[in-house]
Structure formats: C-alpha cells, structure tokens
Amino acid sequence: MNATTVRSKSNTALVLTGGGARAAYQVGVLRALAHILPRGLSNPFPIVCGTSAGAINAAAIAAGATDFHRAARRLQLVWRNFRVNQVYRSDPLGLAFTGVRWLLEPVLRRFGMNKPVALLDNSPLGELLRARLDLHKIGDVISAGALRALAVTASSYDSGESISFYQGNDLLSGWRRARRVGTRVEIGVEHLLASSALPFIFPPTKIQREYYGDGSMRQMAPLSPALHLGADSLFVISVGRE
C-alpha cells in the first residue's frame, strides 16, 4: 500500500506489531512515510493499534495525530537516544534488589504478596514514557477529529484473554469474542507498560484487579482490534520475518 492509497482510505488502520528493540524499524518506516506525505498533514491513519513495543510507538503517533510528520520525527529522536538504563534498572543495587525478591518469593506468597516476579525492573521505562509522551492529548485529538481510536493490546495473566484497551470516539463500542476482549479506557502509561511487559523479563502491570503482560503472547499483530474499531484497510508494519 503506497502513500497515495493511505491518504485516500477513510478508515485505514495503522497496525504496529511487537518485536522489542526491533520496533525501531517501525519508526524508520513511519519516518519514510512522513517524508512522502506533505508537511503539516494530520495523521493519515484514523485508527492506530499496537502491541508490545509497537504499543508505545502507536501511542506516540496517536498523541501527535494533528501533525504526523512531527510525531514521527519526535518518535525517531526518542529511539535514537535510547539507553539501557532508560528501559530497566541495570545498576548493581537494582539488580541486587531483584535477586533478593526472587529469593524471597516463596515467603512473600505466604503473606499474600503474590505479584509475579520478573528478572528486571522496568520502572525507568515508565518514567521515560511519562516524560516523553503526553497521553492526555489523545482525548484532544479524538475530539478534534484527527483520530478515531487508539488500541493497545495486552495479555491477561488471570483470564488468559487478549485484552485490547481502546480510547476512541463515542460511536465505538467494546466487544467480546473467544479469548479476545475490547474495553474502553483512557489510555495511560500503565497500559503501555502492560502491553510491553515481556514474560519473566519485566514485571506484569496490575490494572484494576488483574495482572497484564506482553500483548504479543496472544496477538502478534493486533488486526482484530483494528477491524472491530471500523477499519476497512490495514497498514501493517511488522518486524518479524514473515
């Protein structure tokens, strides 16, 4: 699908898959597309869906939907300046704390502290997202008509279902299918952390009463949410081999 086709489609969804650090490839594709399209153009994708690392990219594009070129450029700057210590704690104290928690995990469970244990502490990623992403703008761009919906997919550790948290206009409704659920929320950093929480590597995120982890465990490419939100065509940027 070329840039002209994207502009002509009224309900084309941008779908960003998981892939960890390889999600930087998605940013390259978005920047290339921004160079093709006229400067100052609003987001050509009224529906944006992402999972895992792709959820973070999706949220950045959605929050900057009024100026697609600028949003893609800002996202590129973030990826260019990524450091390990901005994603997880790599200092000796942080690693030691994680190791102690692993050792005490059986004891903590006895006292009802049953949060799943992870290898790394990704709290720096949460701080980075809060500093670089103005997620409150998502509601504004939806109200302005520059965006129909943003969906972020995570996997529930409690029910085993694939949950797509979406924020969109008032005409959209949630859905429930076999092991796939769409629920309306105001997208926040906690939803991005949940979607990108690699099992056993990063801790799951508790949202309301459930723990959530990497969305790509259930849906590597969140095509279903895009269709439920009204997409009639898909622009998928995958970082896998197929």
Side-chain angles (χ1 to χ4, degrees):
M1 183 180 295
N2 57 36
T4 302
T5 305
V6 170
R7 292 184 65 189
S8 66
K9 289 290 186 178
S10 59
N11 286 312
T12 299
L14 173 64
V15 178
L16 303 178
T17 69
R22 291 178 296 172
Y25 169 80
Q26 296 173 347
V27 183
V29 175
L30 292 170
R31 282 290 287 152
L33 183 59
H35 281 302
I36 296 172
L37 298 174
R39 282 182 175 271
L41 184 74
S42 61
N43 177 25
F45 306 102
I47 300 166
V48 181
C49 301
T51 189
S52 195
I56 297 175
N57 290 341
I61 292 298
T66 55
D67 190 332
F68 180 68
H69 192 278
R70 182 183 181 189
R73 184 176 68 250
R74 292 185 65 180
L75 187 57
Q76 182 186 41
L77 290 176
V78 172
W79 277 95
R80 275 184 171 179
N81 295 286
F82 253 151
R83 298 293 182 270
V84 168
N85 60 5
Q86 292 178 301
V87 180
Y88 59 85
R89 289 192 64 178
S90 57
D91 59 288
L93 181 61
L95 295 175
F97 178 80
T98 302
V100 170
R101 182 171 175 81
W102 272 99
L103 293 174
L104 295 179
E105 195 263 347
V107 177
L108 295 175
R109 282 185 176 274
R110 289 184 180 180
F111 289 93
M113 301 173 66
N114 57 353
K115 179 180 179 178
V117 180
L119 182 62
L120 300 173
D121 175 4
N122 66 340
S123 58
L125 177 60
E127 296 172 4
L128 178 68
L129 294 177
R130 291 183 183 92
R132 297 297 182 93
L133 294 181
D134 190 355
L135 298 180
H136 295 292
K137 287 186 176 180
I138 295 174
D140 295 335
V141 297
I142 291 173
S143 298
L147 183 72
R148 177 182 175 90
L150 165 67
V152 170
T153 299
S155 300
S156 171
Y157 282 15
D158 294 83
S159 66
E161 294 176 318
S162 177
I163 310 296
S164 294
F165 300 102
Y166 75 90
Q167 184 172 353
N169 64 38
D170 295 336
L171 299 177
L172 299 173
S173 301
W175 62 90
R176 178 174 288 276
R177 297 291 185 271
R179 305 186 73 80
R180 295 185 179 184
V181 178
T183 182
R184 181 187 291 272
V185 298
E186 183 175 331
I187 299 293
V189 169
E190 67 273 18
H191 300 100
L192 305 184
L193 291 175
S195 182
S196 58
L198 298 172
F200 305 110
I201 305 298
F202 295 141
T205 300
K206 190 174 185 179
I207 301 176
Q208 295 182 345
R209 297 182 180 181
E210 295 187 46
Y211 283 105
Y212 294 90
D214 193 350
S216 61
M217 287 192 292
R218 291 292 180 185
Q219 287 193 70
M220 178 58 73
L223 307 181
S224 176
L227 298 176
H228 282 295
L229 293 171
D232 54 25
S233 59
L234 305 174
F235 190 95
V236 183
I237 307 178
S238 174
V239 297
R241 294 183 178 181
E242 295 183 7

